[in-house]
Amino acid sequence: MKAAPFDYVRVSSIDEACQALADGGEDARIIAGGQTLIPLMAMRLARPTLLIDINEVDDLTGISVNGDNLVIKARTRQADTLASDVVKERLPILADALSHVGHTQTRNRGTVGGSLVNADPSAEIPLIAQTLDATIIAQSTRGERTIAAGDFFESAMATTLAPDECLTAVRFPIWPAANTGFGFHEVSIRDSDFALAAAAAQTTLDSNGNCQRLSVAICGASPAALRLSIVEETLMGSDLNDDAIKTACANIDDLIDPQSDVHADAAYRGRVAKVMARRAISDARDRAKGELV
Ligand SMILES: Cc1cc2nc3c(=O)[nH]c(=O)nc-3n(C[C@H](O)[C@H](O)[C@H](O)COP(=O)(O)OP(=O)(O)OC[C@H]3O[C@@H](n4cnc5c(N)ncnc54)[C@H](O)[C@@H]3O)c2cc1C
């Protein structure tokens, strides 16, 4: 199929993008990497009346450290983020997760901001944003606002970004490196596929080897990436032994809402999500202890 007719404008600044969104009304859409929007348009599942191309907005690309945060501008390609030494060093959990996002060709075009706005329930970048309490930065002709990741992802493919807002950047907190480790695990049918279920965890251990700080989230088993606060609370202060992790993760059935589809049934996704969560936490523990690279 071919896309329904649409107008197209290429903008060269964030202000121009915001003005075009304001003028274009509810059916105007930003196009970034086009890896999701173009296929949806070709299938007529999306029918934007105006495409606002941000690919020449230099202010929307780049990765920097600002105090205790790693800031990634919205149009930064997933491939550039994955290749970034600063990401590998300061936010290795994101680098690991990015290696599971699509494949080289999709990552060469796909952007970090596009993945966040697309909010696929199985997507890895939203999962890391939830795990680390990232902050989304959005701009419109009405000004700039910041949105906590926990308030951003509303449901499957739905966020609280307003139709006239452009996502400009995402801020990931950098945890102190000492005694900190991360884990990321995913099951997908093929390497480049979306996750059937995935989990991410990051922990900091105290001088006795007990859990001082822990963040865990899963994706693929709920309408949006889900923070497992109950698991975090249960494990806080413990030595994160395998039995404690298994017991804590057994309690997530009431939180998740896995769906059946052609790839997997709901019960399987739920089981996989639990196992992924367990593995992500134990890898985080082992990395924090220096027992896993
Ligand atoms: C074969 C294939 C495999 C894939 N596998 C995976 C996978 O395993 N995991 C995964 O997470 N993703 C996967 N994807 C999706 C891919 O990561 C996309 O790049 C991503 O979801 C969308 O990013 P984009 O830059 O291409 O956005 P686009 O397709 O350009 O846009 C997507 C949506 O976001 C909006 N948007 C984009 N940027 C902004 C902005 N700055 N402000 C406001 N709105 C904006 C658009 O209007 C549109 O609604 C895959 C895609 C393909 C084609």
Side-chain angles (χ1 to χ4, degrees), residues 29-37 54 74 78 100-103 106 109-111 113-115 117-118 123-124 161 165-167 192-194:
R29 290 278 179 286
I30 282 181
I31 180 155
Q35 296 302 295
T36 303
L37 187 54
I54 58 168
Q78 295 158 5
H100 295 264
V101 176
H103 45 74
T106 64
R109 291 298 301 171
T111 64
S115 176
V117 178
N118 197 49
E124 293 85 355
L161 197 72
E165 283 180 315
C166 174
L167 193 157
S192 60
D193 288 347
F194 279 94

